[in-house]
Amino acid sequence: MNILIADDEEVLRMLIVDTLEEEGHVLTEAADGHEAIECFKEKTFDLLLLDYMMPRMTGIEVIRKVRETSDVKIVMLTAKTQQRNLEEAKEAGADFFLAKPFSPLKLIELVTELEER
Amino acid sequence: MITLFRQTIRKQFLVIMVAMLLLLMAGAAVAYLAEKRLADEYMEERRKMNEKVKAVGLVESSFKHTIFSMRGYIAFQNEEELQQAYNSARKLKEAMRKFKPLASSSEEKQLVAELAEFNGTYTNQLVPKAEALVKAGNYEGVRQLSSLGTTDQILSLIQAVEAEKSGLNELIDQRYKQFLEKTRALNAAVAGYFVFVFAVTSGAVWLLSRKLGQPLQELTAAAEKLAAGGEVHIRQIKRKDELGVLSAAFVHMTKTIQEREHELTAHNEELMMQQEELERMLAETEQMKNRLLEVDQLKSELVSTVSHELRTPLAGILGFTELMLNRSLNQEKQKKYLTTIHQEAVRLTNLINDFLDLQRMESGAFACSFEKVDPAPLIEPIIETISQTTNRHHFQLIDQRSKKWLSGDQERLIQVFTNLIGNAVKFSPQGGQVAVYVTNNEKNMLIKIKDEGLGIPAAEIPHVFKKFHRIDNSDRRKIGGTGLGLAVCKEIAEAHGGTITVSSEYGEGSVFSVLLPLWEEKETTVNGERSDEYIDCR
């Protein structure tokens, strides 16, 4: 799968990249919302892993922007305290949520499941 | 208000009416008496006159009888006639005696005198003479006697008596007419008097009602004005009747109403002031509520932020640990993961330490112990330590002090300088000079940390000392940090009675300035073991 990971934390990007590349996916990194939008202009992706809290542009704003042109599957990485904002994210077009801190094995499971659909 | 009505309007009317009644009664009485007297006088006069007339009639008839009988005797020599003549002469004398006191006028008195004289002469001289002559049969002598003027005298006397009689009758008529006239005049006077009394009464009533009406009108006007809400200045009418009382009551009422009104106005003003006060308080409460809501929102944002900040390193630690446990990794990867796990664990520790420090400072549960501090020996080891982590930067400590000591908490100041010098290195990823200047004025020590790094956008400068505030810039995000360092520095500087400020040119570097109070020797001598004292920094 062609996956875009948008997170401002380098460590988390590294974790996700290392986890999913081993499973044979192709990963592209974006350090914030703007970069994510830029990546979407250049390429198409099968899956977008999106951090909720990012500088400059929040995850929700990124979803709205992405949904203008694409129906890519979107998984939001959130902290539990942001639960109350999940409705908003769902409305904006997020498909799945993964709470931080997350298990890499669970992430693999989720991605595999999404791939099989 | 209980008042005695001393001179009531009813009484005044009563007085007028009683006066009128009395006047009318007096008038009637006077008129009655006058009329009675008039009538009595008239009747008396009339009685006298009638008596006189009767007397005169008696005189006339007895005189005529005397003369007539005498003539009969002379003519017929009848003794009876003579006797008759004497009888009549006696009767005449009797009548004369009756008439004499009634004679009032001089003519009457003269007539009485003449008659008496004639009678005397006639009965005493003429009659005896004539009797003798007749008895002698001397008619010549009788003729001579009568020709001596007796007959003429008799005739004139008869005439006079008759004249007197008719004169009296005329007088009676005249008197009657006079009486009628007087009665009429009296009646007219009575009528006039009644009209006068009525006019006077009417005038009095008119004056009284006018005296009542005018103040009533004034009172009515005043009452209407008062009802319309105007100010009324009415003088009390000095009277003893109901109007006086009414006026006094009205003045009292007006005064009371106006006083009440003033009281009400004052009360109203007070109420309005109270309302304003209440509104002001309400606004304050509203403000406070908003502030509390803001604080609440900030708090929940903080919780959200802290949660996020804690979860991020935890996610790294847990994730890499899980990968290591579930995958067979080569040595290189293992080392990389372990380093990352370690880094994240340190980051987590720093974050928790900073956060707890800040919480303690903000809640006031944090105390500084102030002592004599020489900043240079504090800064040198920090520079030494940090310089070992980089080879792109070179460090400089420029000491330009004139005073050696500042007043501060050594541990806390190390925290501040470590943070600021660490930031200077972190935010100048391209390297460059990091200079620390130490200067002072009369009261304060100034420590400036200058770098040649990324700098801070002007719009961000007011926010750099806020908790978890990070400048939205992807370059900076690559530079780790808790977002709490500067907030902690600010709290510490302020706890010292000092300040921390920043000036920066975006892209050129930043200068952080920490101003701390100098150590004052006097304080030590006065306060003795000042350095051992713990003072609440807040």
Side-chain angles (χ1 to χ4, degrees):
Chain A
M1 274 223 289
N2 215 350
I3 301 170
L4 176 67
I5 162 70
D7 197 316
D8 56 324
E9 286 293 335
E10 198 186 348
V11 174
L12 282 181
R13 291 203 303 273
M14 192 174 96
L15 176 66
I16 290 167
V17 168
D18 273 21
T19 305
L20 294 176
E21 270 184 349
E22 197 84 0
E23 300 296 315
H25 300 290
V26 181
L27 281 115
T28 309
E29 290 181 46
D32 61 37
H34 277 284
E35 277 184 31
I37 302 293
E38 289 304 311
C39 290
F40 258 90
K41 283 180 184 165
E42 285 164 20
K43 283 199 266 180
T44 53
F45 295 96
D46 305 313
L47 179 63
L48 169 60
L49 294 173
L50 188 63
D51 186 20
Y52 184 90
M53 220 188 235
M54 285 188 293
R56 292 210 279 181
M57 217 172 166
T58 68
I60 295 204
E61 284 168 334
V62 174
I63 296 174
R64 290 206 179 106
K65 195 82 190 163
V66 168
R67 280 281 177 255
E68 282 175 16
T69 56
S70 162
D71 59 351
V72 65
K73 290 195 176 65
I74 299 176
V75 174
M76 285 217 88
L77 304 171
T78 67
K80 268 185 184 159
T81 47
Q82 292 146 15
Q83 211 82 25
R84 63 200 157 92
N85 297 327
L86 296 190
E87 283 300 312
E88 204 188 346
K90 213 167 189 175
E91 248 167 59
D95 297 300
F96 297 94
F97 299 96
L98 196 60
K100 281 185 190 175
F102 57 88
S103 151
L105 298 181
K106 281 265 167 63
L107 179 65
I108 293 168
E109 261 177 48
L110 179 65
V111 172
T112 313
E113 197 191 314
L114 287 173
E115 193 180 17
E116 282 167 3
R117 281 194 191 177
Chain B
M1 193 166 72
I2 301 158
T3 318
L4 286 172
F5 296 92
R6 276 190 276 175
Q7 203 178 328
T8 63
I9 294 166
R10 204 171 48 143
K11 258 191 207 165
Q12 288 182 51
F13 267 112
L14 212 64
V15 164
I16 290 169
M17 287 304 151
V18 166
M20 186 178 78
L21 208 64
L22 284 178
L23 281 173
L24 287 178
M25 273 163 69
V30 166
Y32 172 75
L33 286 176
E35 204 146 347
K36 193 171 177 276
R37 219 184 111 202
L38 212 60
D40 286 351
E41 271 176 9
Y42 170 70
M43 294 304 278
E44 180 66 19
E45 204 171 11
R46 194 179 146 139
R47 194 180 54 77
K48 277 184 188 164
M49 298 251 242
N50 282 338
E51 224 171 84
K52 220 185 213 175
V53 169
K54 230 163 124 186
V56 170
L58 206 60
V59 169
E60 189 195 5
S61 66
S62 52
F63 183 63
K64 276 180 179 171
H65 269 287
T66 309
I67 304 299
F68 187 70
S69 299
M70 200 55 216
R71 296 269 168 107
Y73 173 69
I74 292 167
F76 306 109
Q77 290 161 18
N78 188 341
E79 275 303 317
E80 222 172 302
E81 293 282 349
L82 184 65
Q83 279 310 302
Q84 280 284 339
Y86 278 117
N87 278 343
S88 292
R90 265 202 307 280
K91 273 187 188 167
L92 178 63
K93 210 174 177 180
E94 185 70 16
M96 288 292 286
R97 200 170 50 79
K98 273 188 187 166
F99 180 62
K100 199 179 174 183
L102 297 173
S104 49
S105 64
S106 53
E107 284 117 23
E108 282 169 350
K109 278 177 182 158
Q110 201 191 331
L111 181 65
V112 169
E114 274 174 18
L115 274 171
E117 198 196 331
F118 173 74
N119 198 27
T121 320
Y122 190 71
T123 45
N124 297 332
Q125 295 173 20
L126 289 175
V127 172
K129 254 184 213 173
E131 193 188 345
L133 286 171
V134 168
K135 276 178 180 167
N138 183 4
Y139 281 92
E140 193 62 30
V142 176
R143 272 191 299 275
Q144 276 178 347
L145 197 64
S146 68
S147 66
L148 282 172
T150 310
T151 308
D152 290 346
Q153 204 182 355
I154 287 167
L155 285 173
S156 89
L157 272 173
I158 286 172
Q159 250 178 355
V161 168
E162 278 175 353
E164 169 70 19
K165 203 178 150 186
S166 70
L168 276 174
N169 280 329
E170 252 176 52
L171 196 65
I172 284 172
D173 276 358
Q174 203 187 324
R175 281 281 186 272
Y176 180 65
K177 272 180 198 157
Q178 276 179 355
F179 168 70
L180 281 181
E181 266 170 26
K182 273 184 186 170
T183 311
R184 225 173 278 140
L186 188 66
N187 285 342
V190 167
Y193 175 74
F194 280 170
V195 167
F196 169 74
V197 167
F198 184 73
V200 165
T201 311
S202 303
V205 169
W206 184 72
L207 275 178
L208 185 61
S209 55
R210 207 179 71 141
K211 243 172 80 188
L212 298 179
Q214 202 177 338
L216 277 177
Q217 283 170 8
E218 278 172 19
L219 282 179
T220 308
E224 274 169 1
K225 198 176 166 194
L226 194 67
E231 279 273 308
V232 173
H233 298 285
I234 190 164
R235 255 183 328 116
Q236 192 179 327
I237 305 164
K238 299 278 181 211
R239 285 170 70 144
K240 286 176 181 170
D241 59 5
E242 287 94 330
L243 275 174
V245 174
L246 177 62
S247 165
F250 188 85
V251 167
H252 183 73
M253 180 191 77
T254 309
K255 223 194 248 170
T256 310
I257 288 175
Q258 281 175 356
E259 269 172 21
R260 292 257 170 84
E261 208 163 310
H262 287 149
E263 251 172 56
L264 273 175
T265 313
H267 201 64
N268 212 15
E269 270 169 23
E270 203 180 308
L271 277 176
M272 273 162 79
M273 270 165 66
Q274 279 178 2
Q275 197 180 340
E276 272 172 28
E277 178 73 13
L278 277 174
E279 276 168 9
R280 201 178 57 75
M281 279 165 75
L282 199 67
E284 262 176 30
T285 314
E286 188 71 17
Q287 258 182 0
M288 206 172 282
K289 193 184 115 192
N290 288 340
R291 217 177 302 148
L292 281 175
L293 280 174
E294 234 170 75
V295 168
D296 199 47
Q297 203 185 337
L298 278 177
K299 207 171 140 194
S300 72
E301 268 173 27
L302 181 70
V303 169
S304 168
T305 311
V306 170
S307 161
H308 183 261
E309 294 298 327
L310 293 175
R311 275 165 206 277
T312 306
L314 266 178
I317 292 166
L318 289 171
F320 282 115
T321 319
E322 204 177 308
L323 283 184
M324 284 182 80
L325 288 171
N326 289 286
R327 281 184 180 161
S328 49
L329 301 162
N330 60 33
Q331 198 110 30
E332 197 193 333
K333 266 246 160 104
Q334 280 186 8
K335 196 181 177 189
K336 185 186 161 197
Y337 285 4
L338 280 174
T339 311
T340 308
I341 290 166
H342 182 253
Q343 265 176 17
E344 292 299 285
V346 168
R347 182 175 154 194
L348 198 56
T349 312
N350 285 340
L351 184 69
I352 289 165
N353 284 343
D354 280 358
F355 188 67
L356 287 179
D357 263 359
L358 201 60
Q359 277 309 103
R360 270 207 297 276
M361 287 177 200
E362 283 183 346
S363 65
F366 142 92
C368 306
S369 73
F370 293 101
E371 55 197 333
K372 241 160 113 178
V373 176
D374 179 356
L378 286 185
I379 295 165
E380 277 161 9
I382 296 168
I383 291 176
E384 184 65 34
T385 312
I386 291 173
S387 67
Q388 285 168 8
T389 64
T390 172
N391 48 22
R392 291 180 180 180
H393 302 83
H394 54 275
F395 298 86
Q396 221 179 344
L397 175 63
I398 301 137
D399 193 346
Q400 298 168 324
R401 286 179 295 168
S402 63
K403 301 228 168 151
K404 192 176 180 184
W405 307 105
L406 61 82
S407 168
D409 183 316
Q410 202 158 318
E411 290 304 313
R412 298 291 176 193
L413 291 180
I414 289 172
Q415 207 179 339
V416 171
F417 298 137
T418 308
N419 231 312
L420 291 177
I421 297 167
N423 277 353
V425 172
K426 265 203 294 191
F427 294 102
S428 50
Q430 309 299 317
Q433 195 186 51
V434 174
V436 180
Y437 298 86
V438 185
T439 56
N440 70 283
N441 63 13
E442 281 305 301
K443 289 195 163 178
N444 297 299
M445 190 80 77
L446 178 66
I447 297 106
K448 287 202 280 190
I449 295 101
K450 185 174 182 293
D451 67 61
E452 297 173 346
L454 300 168
I456 304 160
E460 298 287 347
I461 286 178
H463 306 294
V464 293
F465 294 107
K466 287 184 183 166
K467 278 176 288 192
F468 297 114
H469 185 83
R470 281 173 179 171
I471 297 155
D472 282 350
N473 176 310
S474 54
D475 277 350
R476 275 177 195 273
R477 290 305 292 186
K478 283 168 190 160
I479 300 161
T482 62
L484 293 172
L486 284 178
V488 171
C489 289
K490 184 169 179 267
E491 289 291 334
I492 292 172
E494 285 173 1
H496 279 72
T499 57
I500 181 163
T501 52
V502 63
S503 65
S504 178
E505 191 87 18
Y506 189 48
E508 299 287 321
S510 312
V511 181
F512 282 84
S513 307
V514 185
L515 198 68
L516 296 165
L518 287 174
W519 179 259
E520 285 179 42
E521 281 301 329
K522 272 184 189 172
E523 278 184 39
T524 353
T525 51
V526 170
N527 295 337
E529 297 169 80
R530 167 77 195 247
S531 57
D532 290 343
E533 270 179 54
Y534 279 79
I535 296 166
D536 188 348
C537 294
R538 293 237 137 207

